[in-house]
Amino acid sequence: MRDFSYFRAASTEEASRATLDAGTMLLAGGTTLLDLAKCGVFEPDTLVDITHLAGLGDITVDANGATIGALAKMEEVADHPGVKAAFPAVAQSLSLAASPQLRNMATVGGNLLQRTRCPYFRDPGAFPACNKRNPGSGCSAIGGVTRNHAVLGTSRACIAVNPGDLAVALVAFDAYVEMGRRRVAIEDFYMLPGETPDWETVLKKGEIITGISIPASMAAKNSTYLKVRDRQSYEFAAASAAVGIEFEADGQTVRDIRVALGGVATKPWRARTVEQALVGTVLNVDAVEKASRLSMEDAVSHGGNRYKIELAPRVVARAILTMGGLA
Amino acid sequence: MTIMETRKHGDAADGMVGGRFSRLDGRLKTTGGATYALEQPVKNVVHAVLVQSTIAAGRVVAVDTEAAKAAPGILSIFTPEDDLGLLVASDWHGNRPENEPFRPLPRQISFNGQAITAVVAETLEQATEAAKLVKVSYEEAQPVTSLDDPNAGEGRLVDMLTVGWGDAEAAYAAADVRIEAEYRTPREYHVPIEPHGLTAKWEGEFLTVWEPSQWTHGMARTYAEWFGIPYENVRIVSPFIGGGFGSKAMGYTYGAVAAAAARKLGRPVKLAVTRPQTFTAYGGRAATKQTIRIGATKDGVLQAIVHRGASETSVFADFPEQTGAATPLLYAVPNLSTQHRLVPVNTVTPGALRAPGKNPSAFGIESAIEELAYAVGIDPLELRLRNYADHDYQSGKPWSTRQLREALTVGADVFGWSGRSHEPRSMRDGRQLVGWGIGCGTFPVLKAASEALIRILGDGSVEVVSGAIDMGQGTYTILAQTAAEVLGVPAERVDVKLGDSSLPGATVAGGSMLAGALTGAVHKAATAARDELIGLALNDSNSPFRDTGANTLVISGGRISVPRGEGPSLTLAELMSAIGRDRIETQRNTLPEGANGPEDHKRSWTTMANIQGPTAGDLSMHSWCAHFVEVKVDEDFGTVRVSHVVSAFDCGRIYNPKLAESQWRGGIIMGIGQALLEEGLVDERFGRVINNNMGDYLVPTNADIPHIQVISVGVPDYDASVLGGKGVGEVGIVGVAPAIANAVFHATGKRVRDLPITLEKLI
Amino acid sequence: MTRTIHLSLDINASRYELDVETRVTLLDALRENLGLTGTKKGCDQGQCGACTCHVDGKRVLSCLTLAAQVEGKQVITIEGIAAENGDLHPVQAAFIENDAFQCGYCTPGQIMSAVACIREGHAGSEEEIREYMSGNLCRCGAYNSIVAAVREAASAVTTGVAAKDKAEVA
């Protein structure tokens, strides 16, 4: 890691102000920051430790929804009875992520900002070309080993997959990212790579994520997070789906359905076409499978990741069928 | 160190050797007290960090070290410009070119990830960061990056690996049933949890190296030859090794760099190879491909096997991963032909990874044999028994012991194989497809001489001393058991010192031969010590036994007495005190009488030239196993999970079942990783392995592994070793991957012939 | 000059004063500066679990924690879990009894993780243990025995019966 100074922020305001300095990064759980600093991707001059800030770690769940402080640890949220009851997909997305040790360290605020696992991004010594790291330098991944790259939301500048699990669940349930003076719907928080893949979120210099709020909904309460991967545990998703369904009083007609995808897109991906195809219908296996395939209408393969186009709709379908009692 | 004696009832094995002792080094390992190589406190140490190439072929034009040199704490930077003054050392067999310069940081680039520069600084952090500031300019050449590279060619036939009898081509052509398929395995890596590295320290012309080592004497020779100093001037210290699996038997270039840097700087140098660097600092298992053709009768009786295999190697050295190593051994077949080719590509030279050769070879033949079973409609267990080899068809010699039939039948019974439904896709568990498969394995008995020192101390305790190592196989423990049995003392009264090349000579901890070699040496030395002690007890003028008239004595439970209990009985400490001795020391080796001089010692302890293969005598000697595996496949997702494993082993006599079972399970788990997860992903444009870390090169987690039942069906084989054991460590992985591939076929009807069986191959 | 920081750390209930570069991780501080080498470096990238320690009672990875971050917190390493009289922690005893390791290099991390796993209440079934011990890779493949050891230690912790004694009864 490059030589840096280390300070503990005395207040949220001080932490926010610190980010105005280009060489300064905020240190929370450290699981992304220190990892990428070791890789040589991050080269901060100053780290401002925010983990001691008071009042940013609370988790509250009531009839209106959940508010989760940015410094709450992933494991604390995953284990929170209120979150588990009102937002099972959110709790599951966390407990299926990383490892217990990492979940004890990583904060939910930091988790929203975790960076891609693209091996070309993570190895600046071997692959100088990376538009995400070094705008305009090119993309080493295109034409390379792309087994774990995105099939949705890619551009000619970048095909790196967003590796998150929590953010996928949050996107499904219309959560907001709280940034002190403003809040942004999480779907809008993340940006497509386009020509500027280095710019991943709308978080500005001088801003700090203070928390997440998730509105309560029947769909969120009746939800699941399904994560498929080669290894049983401690691996990023090959494809994942967060699904929540609210049924009409008849118990079978879909009143509200939420579908989001992970492991396949450049940002946490809401699959609205799938939702629209199924809302107002009574679920059956064929219709669900057909609708799930709509999620891949715009998918683009880069060779090694072609399987994701086949796999992801099956993950979506299974999650929907599970929530519909048809799996 | 304390042994917790926890023998459980019902074990087949009994006695001191054969008992279920817990590890002698267990307390140290569970308290953080076991000190691995990089943890040895060395005063005044500085840190070296490697810079590896980012191209696969070409040459280094220049290394710009200006920015790095300006960084704080930098002491020195070594580049291809620097002649470190080293000479090429011997190969495994002791062959060495005359006075050939060795440049561990060469200008010529032969693979991506080759060490080209080393940065030395006061602190690890300073060296690590400055290494990133080194700028290398290259002249690039077009690399050959894999077996499939159009420029790779078909490779070179390795004549000594050509095996055959009968007329395999004709018999194949004439057979009623013929199958043909190609099987492939990718680059695989050892991934020991302890990364490689060393601390090197010079005192004048004497070099001490703290480095994890599967072979302290062999590595001492290598360092001595590199630096042109006497073998006796080098000391390799390696009391604990954090996993080796074949990767820690040799000195590697980074070791030469660190020791050379230490000499130049006049300070001890610690060099820790980073996890990503380990993927190219030494070689893993080579990628292989093999085509197998089997001809058989309609009843599944083998008529011919034709095998053509190839493995990649580096462009500057040969390491054949012998795809035909198991092919001739497993079945009775009247006609056979195998050939193996070596294909040079721009990779680090591959190395030995758990059951080299046998492992990919078994993936081929054990997959093919089940393909035949389905082709002829015969249960795969029945097909294997029908073609059981009653002798070694390759050498024509009888087996020493071969309990493979028992492994198959007992394993099948315990697994419940009779409940199988033959048709693929015919077994389910809810949504999941269920499949069962078998894979057999074999590994040769290799024999080597070794040496051991036994000390009986004044307090009645015993020391066993050897330069051999324990990387988790349990050497500490089984040597204590061996000495305890011979000397009639409780095992907790035995202390074992290992892992230092200045101690008595030992062969490599590889080829599953160390336990056989070392128990033999300890047994011999301990027997000599016992005889000497009894001789003193009978003859020493101060011994209470002198006048008993006994012509021998017995030692048991730490007491020495006259047989049948008439007369005195003393503790060993009381006897030692009575005869005024503070120690009795015997050193013995297992070299033959006529070849026991200093040169024989050096050759035996520091090279592999004297190792005897499985058919060196009148018999053919091997370990055997049969794995029975159940998988569950989610067909929508292509995910395979192993849900049940029963494996039966013939490894002869088992010295400590508790530890042997752990090794077997470890091999099986590595085999599960090989079957389902492990693959070095090479970017063909750059010849670079891009998943060079533990988050992307996946090895199994705890959650991937079901309960694995292991069973010993072996019988003592006293031709194989003094105490009757055959090799335990490597055979466990052999046959696991094909058992899983076979189970996946049974579950899904899809035959996957290229490992690993990742989800995209099944959806 | 590299930037340095003075730290006063509470490790295994002892106070350690040290001056280190600010960028030094807890793992390297333990191993290189404090002689507490029981905590292992397997990957240095948060991918293997060998460096697992407890910070304020929670299991964390010391390779992705700066030494500076733990000032004012209680750090427990493998050297700090046996009793002062040398009696092994029930998890340590169960690891030895069940042969839950071979080379021993992942073992301190496994044990620190297992102690936490039991404390967290995640040792209820074999399946749960497997999942909650999956952040600790073991290349020797001791997983079956690790699960057995955690189960045994979990019940020993609950009932107060030492693993060793139980095994002799069984």
Side-chain angles (χ1 to χ4, degrees):
Chain A
M1 290 186 275
R2 179 187 272 195
D3 183 24
F4 51 70
S5 302
Y6 169 89
F7 299 106
R8 291 184 177 181
S11 68
T12 310
E13 292 67 35
E14 186 185 84
S16 306
R17 270 200 312 278
T19 66
L20 291 168
D21 175 4
T24 297
M25 297 185 78
L26 301 185
L27 176 65
T31 55
T32 290
L33 199 168
L34 296 180
D35 176 31
L36 289 174
K38 288 181 184 189
C39 291
V41 174
F42 291 161
E43 298 187 313
D45 182 66
T46 302
L47 290 189
V48 175
D49 188 344
I50 59 171
T51 50
H52 304 77
L53 296 178
L56 286 182
D58 299 338
I59 305 168
T60 317
V61 182
D62 59 24
N64 296 321
T67 58
I68 301 169
L71 292 180
K73 307 289 192 194
M74 289 172 72
E75 188 69 16
E76 292 167 357
V77 182
D79 260 358
H80 191 276
V83 176
K84 282 171 150 171
F87 306 95
V90 172
Q92 291 161 17
S93 74
L94 288 161
S95 59
L96 290 168
S99 72
Q101 292 96 311
L102 288 162
R103 297 196 298 266
N104 276 336
M105 303 166 71
T107 64
V108 296
N111 185 263
L112 296 184
L113 298 176
Q114 78 179 123
R115 305 297 295 271
T116 183
R117 299 291 305 178
C118 172
Y120 301 94
F121 169 76
R122 289 174 57 83
D123 191 352
F127 302 106
C130 173
N131 290 321
K132 197 179 266 303
R133 241 183 14 234
N134 186 8
S137 60
C139 173
S140 296
I142 294 172
V145 177
T146 59
R147 182 171 191 261
N148 290 320
H149 285 83
V151 294
L152 291 169
T154 58
S155 70
R156 60 185 182 175
C158 185
I159 59 170
V161 80
N162 180 296
D165 292 300
L166 169 65
V168 175
L170 295 177
V171 159
F173 303 113
D174 296 328
Y176 290 90
V177 181
E178 306 285 348
M179 296 174 283
R181 277 188 284 280
R182 65 172 182 145
R183 67 186 331 210
V184 175
I186 188 159
E187 217 184 338
D188 301 327
F189 181 74
Y190 292 101
M191 297 162 65
L192 288 171
E195 293 302 309
T196 54
D198 54 316
W199 203 13
E200 294 184 355
T201 72
V202 300
L203 189 70
K204 295 180 196 148
K205 289 279 174 194
E207 281 184 326
I208 181 172
I209 297 177
T210 54
I212 296 164
S213 52
I214 326 172
S217 66
M218 287 309 293
K221 194 172 170 61
N222 184 41
S223 67
T224 190
Y225 187 79
L226 179 59
K227 183 173 182 179
V228 172
R229 43 190 166 173
D230 283 301
R231 194 157 77 173
Q232 177 70 23
S233 184
Y234 203 4
E235 191 191 359
F236 294 91
S240 66
V243 166
I245 306 179
E246 179 188 3
F247 291 101
E248 299 284 1
D250 64 8
Q252 48 182 351
T253 309
V254 175
R255 177 185 290 168
D256 182 16
I257 179 167
R258 314 291 184 86
V259 180
L261 286 166
V264 294
T266 53
K267 61 180 255 183
W269 200 262
R270 183 78 175 260
R272 286 210 162 71
T273 50
V274 182
E275 298 172 1
Q276 284 154 9
L278 294 173
V279 73
T281 70
V282 173
L283 299 180
N284 69 71
V285 173
D286 287 346
V288 168
E289 288 179 350
K290 192 172 163 212
S292 298
R293 282 196 288 274
L294 296 172
S295 64
M296 289 291 130
E297 269 186 326
D298 299 323
V300 178
S301 146
H302 298 85
N305 60 358
R306 187 181 312 277
Y307 74 96
K308 287 179 188 268
I309 299 174
E310 193 58 46
L311 175 64
R314 297 181 185 192
V315 179
V316 170
R318 178 78 63 84
I320 295 173
L321 293 170
T322 300
M323 296 321 295
L326 297 169
Chain B
M1 292 195 271
T2 323
I3 288 185
M4 298 167 65
E5 217 171 329
T6 51
R7 179 132 4 120
K8 289 175 183 168
H9 297 293
D11 289 331
D14 199 15
M16 193 66 78
V17 172
R20 297 187 74 89
F21 290 90
S22 292
R23 279 173 204 275
L24 190 66
D25 46 354
R27 188 182 176 95
L28 285 176
K29 284 178 173 173
T30 54
T31 55
T35 320
Y36 296 76
L38 293 181
E39 299 162 358
Q40 302 289 338
V42 179
K43 283 203 175 68
N44 205 26
V45 73
V46 296
H47 297 263
V49 170
L50 294 174
V51 178
Q52 294 180 332
S53 72
T54 57
I55 66 163
R59 57 193 295 280
V60 174
V61 173
V63 180
D64 176 357
T65 58
E66 197 175 332
K69 275 188 177 143
I74 299 305
L75 296 167
S76 190
I77 299 178
F78 297 92
T79 75
E81 293 291 332
D82 299 295
D83 182 358
L84 300 173
L86 309 183
L87 294 173
V88 170
S90 303
D91 65 13
W92 285 19
H93 299 289
N95 303 313
R96 187 182 185 202
E98 285 278 319
N99 281 326
E100 188 174 314
F102 170 45
R103 304 201 62 137
L105 301 171
R107 193 170 283 286
Q108 190 72 26
I109 303 296
S110 303
F111 59 95
N112 202 320
Q114 179 180 325
I116 45 176
T117 288
V119 177
V120 187
E122 291 284 352
T123 72
L124 173 63
E125 290 75 17
Q126 289 168 338
T128 302
E129 194 55 22
K132 290 184 191 145
L133 301 175
V134 171
K135 291 186 186 67
V136 183
S137 49
Y138 302 101
E139 186 181 291
E140 290 191 51
Q142 182 64 37
V144 175
T145 57
S146 74
L147 289 172
D148 294 324
D149 192 308
N151 296 320
E154 64 167 352
R156 212 169 55 245
L157 195 64
V158 185
D159 290 332
M160 64 179 291
L161 300 179
T162 297
V163 172
W165 59 84
D167 186 341
E169 291 286 358
Y172 174 76
D176 294 338
V177 181
R178 290 189 294 271
I179 63 152
E180 173 174 358
E182 184 186 70
Y183 304 92
R184 304 177 69 106
T185 63
R187 286 186 200 171
E188 295 154 0
Y189 296 89
H190 306 79
V191 198
I193 304 294
E194 178 202 30
H196 290 53
L198 71 155
T199 299
K201 178 187 175 186
W202 290 86
E203 286 158 295
E205 281 297 290
F206 290 83
L207 171 64
T208 303
V209 177
W210 291 270
E211 179 170 5
S213 175
Q214 293 178 230
W215 191 19
T216 60
H217 302 91
M219 276 170 60
R221 177 189 178 119
T222 300
Y223 278 90
E225 291 178 349
W226 280 338
F227 289 92
I229 57 176
Y231 168 73
E232 294 71 22
N233 286 17
V234 179
R235 185 174 166 216
I236 305 287
V237 185
S238 179
F240 296 98
I241 298 101
F245 315 113
S247 71
K248 289 173 178 168
M250 304 288 286
Y252 295 114
T253 54
Y254 59 80
V257 171
R263 189 167 61 170
K264 295 236 172 201
L265 292 168
R267 290 177 70 177
V269 169
K270 184 187 286 196
L271 188 154
V273 182
T274 70
R275 178 57 65 182
Q277 289 173 343
T278 62
F279 284 75
T280 53
Y282 56 90
R285 195 194 304 282
T288 73
K289 60 178 181 180
Q290 56 184 312
T291 302
I292 295 179
R293 289 181 280 150
I294 297 182
T297 67
K298 290 193 180 71
D299 298 331
V301 177
L302 295 180
Q303 300 298 304
I305 297 175
V306 182
H307 165 276
R308 297 289 178 265
S311 61
E312 58 180 20
T313 190
S314 69
V315 295
F316 56 93
D318 288 352
F319 186 95
E321 181 69 27
Q322 306 171 20
T323 54
T327 322
L329 287 170
L330 286 170
Y331 298 104
V333 59
N335 302 283
L336 179 139
S337 165
T338 81
Q339 291 180 357
H340 185 84
R341 290 176 177 276
L342 264 180
V343 182
V345 306
N346 290 97
T347 171
V348 61
T349 307
L353 203 182
R354 208 169 199 159
K358 296 290 185 288
N359 176 330
S361 182
F363 176 61
I365 187 65
E366 285 297 282
S367 294
I369 210 78
E370 288 221 2
E371 298 213 43
L372 176 65
Y374 288 97
V376 295
I378 296 174
D379 180 285
L381 173 64
E382 168 58 26
L383 187 85
R384 286 180 170 87
L385 294 171
R386 199 171 285 188
N387 290 288
Y388 195 78
D390 61 350
H391 70 282
D392 177 0
Y393 278 64
Q394 181 177 349
S395 66
K397 295 176 182 177
W399 308 115
S400 56
T401 50
R402 194 192 202 231
Q403 299 284 101
L404 181 56
R405 189 192 305 278
E406 290 72 13
L408 282 163
T409 52
V410 172
D413 198 36
V414 173
F415 184 82
W417 186 260
S418 60
R420 174 178 178 269
S421 148
H422 183 71
E423 282 307 305
R425 304 183 62 81
S426 61
M427 292 167 61
R428 281 186 171 272
D429 176 11
R431 177 178 284 281
Q432 306 204 86
L433 294 165
V434 174
W436 291 359
I438 301 175
C440 292
T442 179
F443 197 82
V445 172
L446 305 177
K447 294 170 88 165
S450 285
E451 192 169 43
L453 171 74
I454 297 285
R455 278 193 201 106
I456 301 172
L457 298 175
D459 64 359
S461 69
V462 172
E463 280 181 7
V464 177
V465 183
S466 164
I469 65 93
D470 190 336
M471 56 178 164
Q473 337 88 293
T475 317
Y476 281 112
T477 314
I478 61 168
L479 296 189
Q481 291 173 253
T482 305
E485 178 163 289
V486 175
L487 293 168
V489 298
E492 61 263 29
R493 297 287 284 159
V494 182
D495 197 11
V496 181
K497 295 191 187 329
L498 299 176
D500 188 329
S501 64
S502 67
L503 302 180
T507 191
V508 62
S512 292
M513 67 182 136
L514 189 69
L518 257 295
T519 52
V522 168
H523 191 269
K524 191 170 177 181
T527 303
R530 184 188 61 191
D531 291 350
E532 188 175 335
L533 181 68
I534 290 173
L536 287 166
L538 291 174
N539 299 314
D540 190 281
S541 55
N542 295 317
S543 168
F545 293 103
R546 188 171 178 204
D547 302 322
T548 56
N551 53 14
T552 190
L553 299 169
V554 293
I555 317 177
S556 175
R559 299 187 73 84
I560 184 163
S561 47
V562 177
R564 291 174 301 281
E566 306 282 326
S569 169
L570 275 68
T571 65
L572 292 192
E574 287 163 352
L575 175 65
M576 293 290 280
S577 170
I579 62 178
R581 294 287 293 259
D582 66 351
R583 63 178 55 195
I584 289 172
E585 207 169 272
T586 56
Q587 184 162 334
R588 293 291 183 276
N589 66 53
T590 51
L591 282 166
E593 287 291 326
N596 213 334
E599 276 309 303
D600 299 306
H601 291 188
K602 188 172 178 192
R603 188 169 162 80
S604 292
W605 318 148
T606 68
T607 79
M608 301 197 188
N610 287 356
I611 292 170
Q612 290 186 353
T615 55
D618 298 333
L619 301 168
S620 181
M621 304 184 290
H622 309 262
S623 291
W624 305 97
C625 66
H627 305 286
F628 295 79
V629 171
E630 177 186 83
V631 298
K632 293 187 176 167
V633 182
D634 190 312
E635 202 175 23
D636 288 344
F637 304 153
T639 44
V640 179
R641 301 289 182 251
V642 176
S643 50
H644 188 199
V645 180
V646 174
S647 299
F649 290 87
D650 168 13
C651 296
R653 184 183 180 200
I654 302 303
Y655 306 141
N656 182 329
K658 187 180 212 169
L659 308 193
E661 288 163 10
S662 288
Q663 278 207 83
W664 287 332
R665 288 199 182 93
I668 292 163
I669 290 169
M670 203 177 268
I672 292 173
Q674 175 186 32
L676 300 178
L677 299 170
E678 298 184 33
E679 175 178 25
L681 295 169
V682 181
D683 186 318
E684 300 283 342
R685 300 167 301 173
F686 309 106
R688 187 174 178 85
V689 176
I690 61 148
N691 56 339
N692 54 356
N693 62 78
M694 297 173 82
D696 294 320
Y697 182 87
L698 299 179
V699 303
T701 67
N702 204 320
D704 291 284
I705 302 305
H707 181 70
I708 296 169
Q709 192 169 354
V710 290
I711 303 161
S712 173
V713 296
V715 293
D717 185 337
Y718 295 105
D719 294 302
S721 63
V722 173
L723 298 187
K726 302 191 281 188
V728 165
E730 318 216 27
V731 72
I733 194 174
V734 185
V736 175
I740 291 171
N742 292 335
V744 167
F745 175 79
H746 185 231
T748 65
K750 288 181 185 165
R751 173 60 65 177
V752 180
R753 301 186 180 90
D754 58 326
L755 296 180
I757 307 170
T758 45
L759 51 81
E760 69 264 43
K761 293 176 186 173
L762 290 176
I763 61 171
Chain C
M1 275 299 292
T2 346
R3 279 166 269 190
T4 58
I5 190 168
H6 178 82
L7 299 174
S8 174
L9 302 183
D10 174 354
I11 302 168
N12 301 331
S14 294
R15 175 72 46 187
Y16 291 84
E17 305 286 331
L18 65 163
D19 290 285
V20 290
E21 295 173 48
T22 36
R23 59 186 166 181
V24 168
T25 61
L26 174 59
L27 175 61
D28 286 327
L30 292 169
R31 287 171 63 82
E32 303 292 338
N33 298 87
L34 301 175
L36 293 168
T37 56
T39 305
K40 303 304 182 195
K41 182 183 281 190
C43 69
D44 210 25
Q45 295 180 288
Q47 299 171 342
C48 78
C51 67
T52 302
C53 295
H54 295 176
V55 173
D56 284 350
K58 302 279 190 189
R59 49 172 157 163
V60 301
L61 299 180
S62 58
C63 75
L64 293 182
T65 303
L66 292 177
Q69 283 175 281
V70 300
E71 202 172 37
K73 302 184 184 213
Q74 289 185 325
V75 178
I76 304 290
T77 70
I78 188 69
E79 289 93 344
I81 62 163
E84 274 183 29
N85 67 4
D87 284 354
L88 295 177
H89 186 282
V91 171
Q92 293 172 309
F95 265 61
I96 295 174
E97 169 59 27
N98 288 279
D99 204 35
F101 52 90
Q102 292 183 47
C103 80
Y105 198 79
C106 74
T107 310
Q110 299 277 3
I111 290 173
M112 297 309 287
S113 214
V115 170
C117 177
I118 294 167
R119 191 190 294 151
E120 293 158 8
H122 288 310
S125 67
E126 292 200 357
E127 190 183 350
E128 188 181 26
I129 293 168
R130 285 189 187 116
E131 173 58 30
Y132 278 87
M133 289 299 291
S134 278
N136 294 82
L137 302 180
C138 169
R139 188 58 161 166
C140 297
Y143 292 135
N144 280 186
S145 305
I146 291 167
V147 172
V150 175
R151 283 210 86 154
E152 193 171 293
S155 68
V157 168
T158 325
T159 61
V161 180
K164 195 170 62 172
D165 305 334
K166 262 190 61 199
E168 276 162 10
V169 175

